[in-house]
Amino acid sequence: MPDFTASGLIVDNKEARWSDFLAPKYWLLWLSIGLLRGLSALPFRWGLCIGRLLGRLLYRLMKTRRHVTTVNIRLCFPELTAQEQTNRVIEVFENNGIGLIETGWSYWKSEAFFRAKTDFKNFEILDQALEQGNGVILMGWHFSCLDLAGLLFSLHGQPCSTLYREHNNPMLEWFFTRGRKRFSHPLERKKTRQMLRNMRKNHCIWYAPDQDLGRKGTLFIPFFGHPAATTVATTKMHRLNNSPLVKLDCWRKPDNSGYILECSNVDGFPSDTEENDAILINQAIEAGIRKAPSQYMWVHKRFKTAPLGEKNIYKATQPD
């Protein structure tokens, strides 16, 4: 049986290799990876165009995710008209389709190609935080160009560990971990001791506290005006090594000519309580999302866990 350990993905007591996934049940995944590899070799503009078309296809095929996205957009952007909300939902899928292409770029495309297409803003904030010598909690959020942002950040030259949740599929776990090792040190989020060791080496720890992890270790904090189960782990991470918090936003430029990476402080963090910290964090993430709202992964059930006594908003209405 496969065994997953702190050292990485282990299959039959050895580190996983591509040859461990030759069984027929993996063939469709191999075909998908090969297709992604081929698309990644296309020119930049072609990749954006194909990703957008792929997103429109997924919009039509993924009925449940379309429903989730529609509920999220209606809830978080009530100021938009019904048609504007529908347009935004479509844009979200288009950006997620582009995000698939960008994932391939992050694993296979030249770093030099992206260096010329990336604007780095306010990185002196990160440099000043690193001067303290306690590492940095590099707070992100789930934007569509997530893995590509890791590659772009690596161009700054600072060692970075990326916290992630282990994938249920062992081949996808191998594939994503192997790909991310190109630009970071992937670290399963439960490996607290390794995270602390990396902090003490003055590394950055990339961490995204914007997903619904259930009731345990969370507080209900407003997110776009609606209560969302929000983890207090960011405060606990800070207390481990007194590591400062720096927010990293990344989005594709409006004219699709490249990318912007921007560092900023989360003013007031740490505060006097975990609840106030969570409020500050949600406000900071929301401000980042508003820079490019359609590039956020609204396909996730951000409000899956409802406050006691309230109904699950995703079950209140059924997909079209």
Side-chain angles (χ1 to χ4, degrees), residues 39-101:
L39 293 175
S40 300
L42 294 175
F44 183 73
R45 292 286 180 178
W46 287 28
L48 295 179
C49 182
I50 291 174
R52 191 174 295 109
L53 292 174
L54 177 60
R56 282 185 171 265
L57 177 63
L58 295 176
Y59 170 80
R60 296 191 175 277
L61 296 179
M62 301 180 71
K63 184 182 294 186
T64 299
R65 289 296 176 184
R66 186 175 71 228
H67 169 70
V68 170
T69 306
T70 299
V71 172
N72 285 337
I73 295 301
R74 288 175 180 171
L75 187 69
C76 297
F77 300 95
E79 70 278 8
L80 300 180
T81 66
Q83 186 58 55
E84 289 171 337
Q85 290 174 348
T86 298
N87 291 343
R88 181 154 294 179
V89 171
I90 295 172
E91 290 170 358
V92 167
F93 274 85
E94 289 178 341
N95 278 291
N96 275 270
I98 293 172
L100 292 174
I101 305 298

Side-chain angles (χ1 to χ4, degrees), residues 35-234:
L35 178 61
L36 180 61
R37 181 69 179 88
L39 293 175
S40 300
L42 294 175
F44 183 73
R45 292 286 180 178
W46 287 28
L48 295 179
C49 182
I50 291 174
R52 191 174 295 109
L53 292 174
L54 177 60
R56 282 185 171 265
L57 177 63
L58 295 176
Y59 170 80
R60 296 191 175 277
L61 296 179
M62 301 180 71
K63 184 182 294 186
T64 299
R65 289 296 176 184
R66 186 175 71 228
H67 169 70
V68 170
T69 306
T70 299
V71 172
N72 285 337
I73 295 301
R74 288 175 180 171
L75 187 69
C76 297
F77 300 95
E79 70 278 8
L80 300 180
T81 66
Q83 186 58 55
E84 289 171 337
Q85 290 174 348
T86 298
N87 291 343
R88 181 154 294 179
V89 171
I90 295 172
E91 290 170 358
V92 167
F93 274 85
E94 289 178 341
N95 278 291
N96 275 270
I98 293 172
L100 292 174
I101 305 298
E102 289 169 331
T103 297
W105 286 343
S106 71
Y107 297 168
W108 296 301
K109 208 168 186 67
S110 165
E111 296 178 359
F113 174 84
F114 286 105
R115 189 181 298 276
K117 287 185 172 291
T118 305
D119 293 344
F120 298 89
K121 294 187 175 182
N122 301 329
F123 265 65
E124 68 275 6
I125 293 175
L126 176 63
D127 296 334
Q128 291 167 6
L130 288 167
E131 288 175 1
Q132 298 181 27
N134 294 332
V136 167
I137 302 170
L138 193 64
M139 186 180 76
W141 37 275
H142 285 79
F143 31 76
S144 57
C145 58
L146 189 63
D147 276 359
L148 182 58
L151 177 67
L152 301 181
F153 179 80
S154 72
L155 302 179
H156 183 65
Q158 175 61 37
C160 183
S161 297
T162 53
L163 298 189
Y164 76 100
R165 181 172 62 179
E166 186 178 272
H167 204 286
N168 293 330
N169 185 301
M171 180 175 170
L172 288 178
E173 171 72 6
W174 164 80
F175 172 69
F176 287 125
T177 301
R178 178 177 177 271
R180 290 166 181 166
K181 283 181 178 179
R182 179 188 182 192
F183 51 80
S184 70
H185 307 283
L187 186 61
E188 211 286 325
R189 64 185 183 181
K190 296 179 182 179
K191 310 304 179 185
T192 308
R193 291 183 179 178
Q194 183 61 51
M195 179 180 67
L196 179 57
R197 283 195 289 267
N198 291 355
M199 284 178 171
R200 289 174 174 170
K201 294 177 182 177
N202 204 29
H203 288 191
C204 294
I205 307 293
W206 184 90
Y207 171 64
D210 64 328
Q211 291 193 310
D212 190 325
L213 303 178
R215 297 186 187 279
K216 185 176 180 181
T218 63
L219 297 170
F220 283 97
I221 304 297
F223 185 68
F224 281 86
H226 190 80
T230 304
T231 181
V232 297
T234 312

